[in-house]
Amino acid sequence: MRLSRLRRPVLSQPLAALLLLSLAACQGVSGGVGPVDPGARVEAGAVPSRVASPVEGAPQAVGPFVAAANPLAVEAGLGVLRRGGSAVDAAVAVQAVLGLVEPQSSGLGGGAFMMVYDGATQAVTAYDGREIAPASATPEMFQEDGRPLPFVQAVLSGRSTGVPGAVAMLAMAQKDHGSLPWSALFDDAERLARDGFVVSPRLAGMIASAAPQGRTPAAEAYFSLPDGRRAVAGDVLTNPAYAATVRALAAQGAQALYSGEIGKAIVAAVQAEPRPGGLTEADLVAYRPIERGALCRPFRVYVVCVPPPPSSGVALLQLLEMAEVTPSLAGGPQDAQAWVAFAQLQRLMYADRDRYVGDPAFVGVPVQGLLDESYVAERAALAPGLTGAATAGTPPGGVFMAPDRTTEPAGTSHMVIVDAKGNAVSMTTTVESIFGSGRMAGGFFLNNQLTDFSFAPTAADGSPMANAVAAGKRPRSSMSPVIVLDHQGRLVGALGSPGGSSILAYNAKALIGALVWDLPMQAAIDLPNLVAKGPGFGADTEMFSQALRDGMAARGIAIQPNTTENSGLHGALWRRGANDWGWDGGADPRREGQARTH
């Protein structure tokens, strides 16, 4: 069920009935805006070891709050909020800085999905800034001599780059929800690019890695210091070209990226050898982000909202719905049976996601069918008996498609922001792989997002792939930023993560940890990751106790080290602490992020 915007006064009758039936036993939450002492950085242990669901008398959830993957970006966002900026204003500043100091994960040359909550109207809006395949794209674009290209060769080619969408999407959202002038949101990014920033340990590790995108001529030139060394942690790196780009964006608006000198530079980089791509200036100018209806479903005493396809948020909602009819999940984080149930539900979710989710402008995605109550119950009932990889089901309205085997490598980031008026942003942003395609223009890396398409348009039996390449098509994404509401439509929290295809597992783990197992957000984020997609079980193996590993193994779940991109969860829930209501927030210790209130 898709909502154009979720507003309490104008809920559709079907949704209102669904929420009332699901939440009839819950008490309402009332109360207006009250003074909140948010404290300093949100630390683990700032709230009791177990916390309760929303209760009567909660004040409106308000900021400031910023969680993002780099301290410099967090400070840029808080600086905007201090000047009276909105959550979306702050998101623009955070993205501009992340693209400079964390270029391995996101940037101006990438794409994003953003969820926005309006504190005054209770509207929830999904913004789609996913990249688009150029007009020249064909289903065989990633094939040569009738065979799919090796993945690394495809990534490094010009064919891998779609029209960047993050900047246009931010401009659309900022026009709708901004308080400050667009031109005032790039000062930190320009200053850091011009004067230099300290290379963080994580960025240094990526620079030193064997990732071929970090060894391209453009990357070699950027990461080489005047003395000939490659930058290491603690070195100061400048990027005059990036400073010029953000100055142009501030002065000319988002169109500066899609036309003029920056647009020409993007096209030149994409069309360069080897394996030039077909992206043109006309493709750039034609790009349009999309304001989509938020996809919301009740979960326990909450309502969880995600972007609709081509985001895979529908799969996350399906897993949560299955979790509600899986009693063994209630055992908590020290119960092997609960982890086994979580793994088996993931297998079912991923099987359906891989078969049915794609760009809804090109394929019929059975959103309603995947979330149908009877279908979800049937799928969940299969979990205890699974002994291998799950197969996709047949949801109501589903059109048979071939199972997809798209590779989704590392290179994504997430942010959560709340402003003083209770407006909130949950945004997942990416350049796809580490440093995207390794090609640069205007001081930033270009995405390799088109490798998120299936390299083959059909399976061996001739059945079509929902995520096949097509001109003007948006590749399927695992990015699924989350907004959490109470049943009155008021903001309760937000979260999200990078992680390639594992994003869905990471988000689900944190939501179950915080909303089912009643853990503080930081503790929920800190939980070991377990990813069950296909026949295997990847995990933060050493973070599970021996007793849990033995208990899972006895039930057929033999965990192995996680080989997908690790998590970078950022999130917060509005909860009563020791003295008052405030943000119970967290940042993933697996990366360099912070969660702060001032």
Side-chain angles (χ1 to χ4, degrees):
M1 184 175 306
R2 192 174 296 172
L3 295 174
S4 294
R5 295 183 181 228
L6 178 63
R7 280 192 188 87
R8 191 171 146 211
V10 293
L11 287 177
S12 66
Q13 290 302 312
L15 180 67
L18 177 63
L19 296 183
L20 287 172
L21 286 171
S22 302
L23 303 167
C26 304
Q27 287 187 316
V29 180
S30 60
V33 178
V36 176
D37 180 11
R41 183 179 305 176
V42 181
E43 303 284 1
V47 296
S49 59
R50 291 180 70 82
V51 288
S53 300
V55 297
E56 187 78 21
Q60 181 188 12
V62 294
F65 177 86
V66 178
N70 184 281
L72 294 171
V74 173
E75 179 56 35
L78 286 170
V80 169
L81 297 183
R82 293 185 197 110
R83 301 200 307 269
S86 70
V88 173
D89 289 333
V92 177
V94 170
Q95 177 65 90
V97 172
L98 282 179
L100 175 69
V101 303
E102 199 201 26
Q104 71 271 21
S105 296
S106 72
L108 307 180
F113 288 97
M114 173 189 274
M115 298 292 290
V116 178
Y117 176 82
D118 188 304
T121 66
Q122 298 187 338
V124 180
T125 307
Y127 290 93
D128 178 345
R130 188 65 162 156
E131 297 88 341
I132 290 179
S136 60
T138 67
E140 296 76 28
M141 187 169 71
F142 291 114
Q143 295 188 342
E144 287 185 358
D145 300 323
R147 303 180 65 180
L149 276 172
F151 185 74
V152 171
Q153 292 182 23
V155 168
L156 296 173
S157 76
R159 305 175 198 175
S160 70
T161 298
V163 183
V167 172
M169 181 204 73
L170 285 166
M172 171 184 276
Q174 201 268 343
K175 182 179 180 181
D176 292 343
H177 302 280
S179 298
L180 299 178
W182 170 269
S183 60
L185 306 177
F186 297 89
D187 293 349
D188 286 283
E190 181 187 355
R191 173 181 53 79
L192 290 166
R194 181 188 66 240
D195 299 341
F197 64 95
V198 176
V199 175
S200 73
R202 182 172 173 80
L203 173 56
M206 298 299 178
I207 293 172
S209 76
Q213 302 95 305
R215 301 289 173 174
T216 62
E220 289 281 5
Y222 178 36
F223 294 130
S224 296
L225 301 177
D227 61 6
R229 295 183 300 113
R230 282 176 70 87
V232 299
D235 282 332
V236 174
L237 198 63
T238 60
N239 191 333
Y242 195 92
T245 291
V246 293
R247 277 199 303 273
L249 286 173
Q252 302 168 34
Q255 66 268 21
L257 193 85
Y258 297 89
S259 61
E261 295 306 311
I262 300 173
K264 287 181 170 63
I266 292 173
V267 170
V270 170
Q271 294 186 358
E273 294 286 353
R275 294 185 175 89
L279 184 72
T280 66
E281 292 178 56
D283 291 318
L284 292 174
V285 172
Y287 181 83
R288 296 292 183 273
I290 300 175
E291 178 186 331
R292 298 189 187 272
L295 185 61
C296 300
R297 282 295 187 279
F299 176 65
R300 294 168 64 85
V301 297
Y302 306 94
V303 177
V304 177
C305 296
V306 294
S311 160
S312 294
V314 60
L316 178 62
L317 294 183
Q318 185 193 45
L319 187 146
L320 293 177
E321 288 192 17
M322 289 191 291
E324 289 222 76
V325 293
T326 305
S328 55
L329 265 177
Q334 301 307 317
D335 180 20
Q337 187 175 353
W339 285 102
V340 169
F342 178 49
Q344 301 291 47
L345 294 183
Q346 284 187 53
R347 283 174 142 180
L348 294 160
M349 170 200 69
Y350 277 117
D352 279 1
R353 191 288 297 260
D354 289 354
R355 174 155 289 181
Y356 293 111
V357 176
D359 185 341
F362 289 77
V363 296
V365 184
V367 172
Q368 308 301 331
L370 289 168
L371 301 178
D372 177 80
E373 183 178 357
S374 296
Y375 177 72
V376 167
E378 291 172 5
R379 294 293 281 167
L382 298 174
L386 279 179
T387 57
T391 57
T394 307
V399 177
F400 181 81
M401 306 295 287
D404 187 80
R405 295 179 177 85
T406 300
T407 301
E408 296 181 68
T412 305
S413 197
H414 187 82
M415 68 183 76
V416 170
I417 303 170
V418 186
D419 65 32
K421 295 182 178 179
N423 307 303
V425 162
S426 183
M427 173 175 157
T428 313
T429 174
T430 186
V431 288
E432 181 56 6
S433 292
I434 297 170
F435 305 125
S437 68
R439 302 182 182 216
M440 297 184 74
F444 56 89
F445 285 95
L446 300 179
N447 71 82
N448 66 293
Q449 211 64 253
L450 300 189
T451 58
D452 258 3
F453 283 120
S454 171
F455 281 20
T458 60
D461 64 1
S463 53
M465 298 283 193
N467 194 38
V469 184
K473 189 175 182 180
R474 296 168 190 244
R476 185 194 69 208
S477 175
S478 292
M479 295 188 290
S480 51
V482 175
I483 292 283
V484 182
L485 311 175
D486 66 16
H487 67 277
Q488 291 185 331
R490 302 197 312 165
L491 180 68
V492 173
L495 65 80
S497 181
S501 63
S502 299
I503 286 173
L504 301 170
Y506 300 152
N507 285 358
K509 177 205 76 172
L511 286 167
I512 290 170
L515 304 183
V516 178
W517 297 340
D518 288 336
L519 295 174
M521 179 56 73
Q522 187 64 58
I525 289 171
D526 291 348
L527 287 170
N529 288 321
L530 176 61
V531 181
K533 187 176 187 290
F537 303 93
D540 294 333
T541 312
E542 297 305 315
M543 293 178 66
F544 282 100
S545 69
Q546 189 62 53
L548 279 176
R549 278 183 272 175
D550 292 344
M552 285 189 277
R555 294 168 173 84
I557 305 296
I559 60 175
Q560 300 294 324
N562 188 8
T563 58
T564 60
E565 179 185 4
N566 219 331
S567 59
L569 283 152
H570 294 103
L573 289 172
W574 185 247
R575 285 170 158 171
R576 186 189 294 278
N579 301 311
D580 204 347
W581 288 83
W583 286 108
D584 166 28
D588 205 317
R590 299 165 181 84
R591 301 207 180 191
E592 297 171 333
Q594 289 182 344
R596 291 174 51 196
T597 54
H598 73 250

